[in-house]
Amino acid sequence: MRQTHGNMSRTRIAIQRFRHTYTALSSSAALTRSQFQCSQQHLTRAPLLFHAPRHYSSSPKQDYPTGDFDFKPITGWKKFTVNLKMLTAFPWERLRYGTLLTIKLRGQISDQLNSRFSPGLSLPQICDNFFKATYDPRISGIYLHIDILNCGWAKVEEIRRHILNFRKSGKFVVAYVPSCREKEYYIACACEEIYAPPSAYFSLFGLTVQAPFLRGVLENLGIEPEVERIGKYKSVGDQLTRKTMSEDHHEMLTALLDNIYTNWLDKVSSARGKKREDIENFINKGVYQVERLKEEGFLTDIIYDDEVITRLKERLQVKTDKNLPMVDNRKYSGVRKSTLGLSGGKELIAIIRASGSIRRIESSLSTRSSGIIGEKLIEKIRKVRESNKYKAAIIRIDSPGGDALASDLMWREIRLLAASKPVIASMSDVAASGGYYMAMGAGVIVAESLTLTGSIGVVTGKFNLGKLYEKIGFNKEIISRGRYAELRAAEQRSLRPDEAELFSKSAQHAYKQFRDKAALSRSMTVDKMEEVAQGRVWTGKDAASHGLVDAIGGLSRAVAIAKLKANIPLDRQVTVLELSRPSPSLPEILRGLGKI
């Protein structure tokens, strides 16, 4: 639950959302320069259902295919047919040979598939364009403009992987970074060349983790939080009841930060041909001058964008008085894979994307990008289960959790699907609390090494607003029938001892459901699961070592494992069919047409 102390209206909204709910809350920390946020998950009681056992094992000791990219150029008759297709393609698919694909990586990157007319960045479309450009004979290289990003490390890792895959084709990738921190440089160092303007903002100073605490603010407002925490690492309850970080909270955040920082040092040092100690020493010098970065080998050169274009013209043998043929990321999204002979095989693997916070039903105020709607996702899951054309399914998850009833219902449907065909869970930036709840219904779980996952725990809480009401002169009287009728209505007083006992028992019950289902899904004993639960958030790498995740990798590895489980030869092409393909709204179409 992320709050701004100076904005009391946001604090009030957060209080209203938290009141009288059971919450399975993931870590509240926000990493500056490596922003990660695990938001709250409202946890209500749900029936314990242990049916539809998997038809294959999910043992974490099993060796799975890596899904590594192996570039094979198109030759012979297929090359001729591809050239013919490009000549007869739709007008918006036609490009000149020697075209440069330009991609601006900046701001928010969604894990959802956007429509062609959507202005936002979509990870599936970015990766799709990299893949198409690898084989497109008209694309000579890629020019990346990298600016400050607002996404997690898993998405950054996926993009970096696609840059390295693209370079296997022999084509080049050049990066231009006017503003750069750790995430941006992590992507840039995978490119062949890195350029920056003389006035570039560079701040490779390391990573920090922050944990905000609201107890002092609530005291000033006259609000008393009453919190029952199940799981010693469940830190959002600490946000409300403490003014400082607990030892357990500190332990968890330190482990997460160390994982991210170590990974960054290892990958950057390898990419730049330096020792890890040299990279760390350079960071500790607090260098901000781009001249020093160039001297130390972090940059190729310090020049402006137009000068980079001039160099690219020379590289592609384009006359200086002529325009360099370029196509941007959005327009190139309109080029179909079939036009490039990349339509895939006959076997179909469905991919169902689940991104955002979880809700059971769609409210009248929700938008198409407002997160996971349980009843809609269940429809897609059932569609795949009831169809014989899909050989396997991938549930792509990028969610910190949400409504636990919805999570449980989706878990049930995923588990039923896994009883009829292979189901692989592929984790993006975060799959914690309800996000992990969904994943554990799959037969195999794949995560990036820095995916945030786990958070199997519960916090139950309400607010006593009595002192606040006194301050503002507000009064509320209640007439009730039933011993516990006022449990959710009497926010002007503290819980009675019997009410507090019921609160605690309900939270314990909810936690045991979550923990026991996780133990069943991961083929662990309850005692073993208890050791890795307790509300702790893990990186994907550590989650794999503790049995919460089966394999480390991105979507390509999930596809390879799906093929293995569906008895499809690994060298055979398959068609991965998106079931969450959006329909563009009229404003998006009009806005998009204006940019063509």
Side-chain angles (χ1 to χ4, degrees):
M1 187 162 58
R2 184 180 180 181
Q3 300 300 327
T4 303
H5 285 221
N7 191 331
M8 298 314 300
S9 63
R10 290 187 180 179
T11 302
R12 188 174 182 180
I13 291 171
I15 291 170
Q16 291 294 334
R17 289 181 62 189
F18 189 86
R19 187 188 303 164
H20 312 312
T21 59
Y22 294 119
T23 52
L25 300 157
S26 42
S27 171
S28 61
L31 273 177
T32 60
R33 312 227 200 291
S34 62
Q35 296 281 331
F36 74 82
Q37 180 74 32
C38 296
S39 304
Q40 75 175 28
Q41 172 187 358
H42 300 293
L43 181 60
T44 55
R45 288 173 289 180
L48 192 63
L49 298 175
F50 292 149
H51 302 298
R54 277 190 297 272
H55 69 296
Y56 55 89
S57 172
S58 63
S59 172
K61 296 181 180 179
Q62 182 174 350
D63 290 329
Y64 294 111
T66 62
D68 289 345
F69 179 73
D70 182 19
F71 176 72
K72 296 179 181 178
I74 298 175
T75 58
W77 175 253
K78 188 175 182 180
K79 183 177 180 180
F80 173 78
T81 59
V82 168
N83 288 332
L84 185 62
K85 285 181 179 180
M86 290 188 296
L87 287 173
T88 58
F90 292 115
W92 58 81
E93 293 185 280
R94 297 176 189 173
L95 302 172
R96 290 173 54 185
Y97 279 82
T99 294
L100 193 70
L101 172 60
T102 62
I103 302 176
K104 290 185 178 181
L105 297 176
R106 179 174 57 204
Q108 188 75 36
I109 299 179
S110 170
D111 205 72
Q112 286 290 102
L113 187 68
N114 292 342
S115 72
R116 183 190 163 206
F117 299 98
S118 175
L121 285 174
S122 164
L123 181 66
Q125 287 164 330
I126 292 171
C127 297
D128 205 38
N129 282 348
F130 267 104
F131 178 69
K132 290 185 296 184
T134 303
Y135 289 96
D136 194 334
R138 303 166 301 178
I139 298 295
S140 56
I142 294 178
Y143 185 27
L144 283 181
H145 273 241
I146 308 173
D147 215 321
I148 301 303
L149 293 167
N150 181 21
C151 65
W153 284 97
K155 291 189 181 74
V156 170
E157 187 70 61
E158 188 79 52
I159 293 171
R160 192 175 189 276
R161 183 182 296 115
H162 276 78
I163 292 173
L164 296 174
N165 288 345
F166 176 83
R167 291 184 61 182
K168 291 179 181 179
S169 67
K171 300 177 183 181
F172 65 87
V173 186
V174 170
Y176 182 72
V177 282
S179 185
C180 186
R181 299 187 299 204
E182 283 73 20
K183 282 182 184 175
E184 295 73 34
Y185 193 78
Y186 190 73
I187 294 176
C189 70
C191 300
E192 184 178 332
E193 299 171 4
I194 307 174
Y195 297 101
S199 55
Y201 294 123
F202 263 79
S203 55
L204 302 181
F205 302 147
L207 306 175
T208 64
V209 61
Q210 300 178 5
F213 296 93
L214 292 172
R215 180 59 187 265
V217 176
L218 297 178
E219 285 179 355
N220 290 334
L221 293 173
I223 299 172
E224 179 186 355
E226 297 178 295
V227 174
E228 179 77 23
R229 183 178 67 173
I230 313 298
K232 63 181 181 179
Y233 296 103
K234 272 297 181 181
S235 59
V236 176
D238 288 353
Q239 283 188 342
L240 304 174
T241 60
R242 296 178 61 94
K243 295 182 180 180
T244 59
M245 194 181 296
S246 69
E247 291 184 7
D248 295 322
H249 192 187
H250 184 274
E251 175 194 345
M252 179 179 70
L253 295 184
T254 299
L256 293 174
L257 182 60
D258 285 344
N259 269 311
I260 296 171
Y261 187 54
T262 300
N263 179 80
W264 190 88
L265 289 173
D266 289 343
K267 293 291 182 67
V268 171
S269 60
S270 176
R272 305 313 295 173
K274 295 177 177 291
K275 294 180 180 179
R276 175 179 160 180
E277 295 77 12
D278 293 337
I279 299 292
E280 192 165 15
N281 290 336
F282 182 80
I283 285 176
N284 292 335
K285 291 177 183 177
V287 176
Y288 58 88
Q289 305 97 327
V290 290
E291 295 81 9
R292 288 283 306 279
L293 288 160
K294 179 184 175 182
E295 291 172 6
E296 296 287 343
F298 286 83
L299 293 175
T300 304
D301 206 349
I302 304 170
I303 55 178
Y304 289 100
D305 177 44
D306 63 288
E307 295 174 297
V308 179
I309 296 296
T310 299
R311 292 194 182 187
L312 290 173
K313 283 183 179 182
E314 295 173 358
R315 184 169 190 162
L316 298 174
Q317 299 180 344
V318 176
K319 294 181 180 179
T320 56
D321 60 338
K322 298 293 184 180
N323 291 327
L324 184 65
M326 294 187 290
V327 60
D328 63 30
N329 182 63
R330 188 187 61 81
K331 187 174 181 180
Y332 194 65
S333 295
V335 177
R336 296 166 299 169
K337 286 184 179 179
S338 58
T339 301
L340 303 172
L342 303 172
S343 53
K346 294 181 179 180
E347 285 94 351
L348 298 181
I349 295 177
I351 178 169
I352 303 172
R353 295 186 181 271
S355 182
S357 60
I358 298 170
R359 288 181 291 119
R360 187 168 57 91
I361 59 176
E362 190 170 19
S363 69
S364 57
L365 299 177
S366 65
T367 62
R368 289 187 300 116
S369 59
S370 59
I372 303 168
I373 308 300
E375 61 182 10
K376 289 190 173 183
L377 196 78
I378 286 173
E379 288 178 6
K380 294 184 176 71
I381 295 170
R382 288 178 178 173
K383 180 179 178 181
V384 175
R385 177 161 59 92
E386 294 168 359
S387 174
N388 293 324
K389 67 180 182 180
Y390 299 109
K391 302 300 182 183
I394 296 171
I395 311 295
R396 175 71 173 182
I397 303 171
D398 188 22
S399 173
D403 184 285
L405 174 57
S407 300
D408 183 69
L409 297 178
M410 290 186 291
W411 171 84
R412 168 66 173 175
E413 292 295 332
I414 293 170
R415 197 161 169 80
L416 288 174
L417 176 61
S420 62
K421 59 192 67 178
V423 179
I424 315 300
S426 172
M427 295 177 170
S428 184
D429 283 340
V430 56
S433 291
Y436 187 78
Y437 204 127
M438 294 172 60
M440 67 191 192
V444 180
I445 300 177
V446 180
E448 293 285 4
S449 60
L450 297 181
T451 295
L452 299 178
T453 189
S455 191
I456 302 168
V458 171
V459 171
T460 177
K462 68 177 287 291
F463 289 99
N464 176 6
L465 306 179
K467 292 182 180 179
L468 174 63
Y469 287 174
E470 288 180 12
K471 285 185 177 183
I472 63 177
F474 179 78
N475 185 40
K476 178 179 179 181
E477 295 186 5
I478 301 173
I479 300 174
S480 61
R481 297 291 183 272
R483 181 178 179 181
Y484 299 106
E486 296 184 12
L487 188 64
R488 285 177 260 192
E491 75 276 4
Q492 79 281 15
R493 63 171 176 81
S494 299
L495 291 171
R496 300 191 311 260
D498 59 332
E499 291 174 326
E501 183 181 2
L502 178 62
F503 232 54
S504 178
K505 288 181 178 179
S506 298
Q508 289 283 356
H509 177 68
Y511 173 68
K512 288 177 180 178
Q513 285 190 338
F514 194 175
R515 181 201 60 194
D516 293 353
K517 286 186 180 181
L520 173 75
S521 299
R522 302 307 301 161
S523 302
M524 290 185 186
T525 64
V526 171
D527 289 342
K528 185 67 175 177
M529 177 56 65
E530 183 71 17
E531 294 177 6
V532 295
Q534 294 285 330
R536 180 155 186 167
V537 178
W538 304 92
T539 60
K541 181 180 179 181
D542 283 349
S545 67
H546 288 90
L548 294 175
V549 166
D550 296 297
I552 297 299
L555 191 59
S556 60
R557 188 165 198 190
V559 172
I561 295 173
K563 290 164 68 174
L564 174 70
K565 295 296 184 180
N567 296 318
I568 300 172
L570 294 178
D571 59 351
R572 183 183 300 174
Q573 288 188 333
V574 295
T575 297
V576 179
L577 191 62
E578 293 272 0
L579 267 68
S580 305
R581 187 170 295 276
S583 300
S585 63
L586 181 59
E588 285 179 342
I589 294 175
L590 294 176
R591 184 168 53 244
L593 289 174
K595 295 181 181 179
I596 292 178

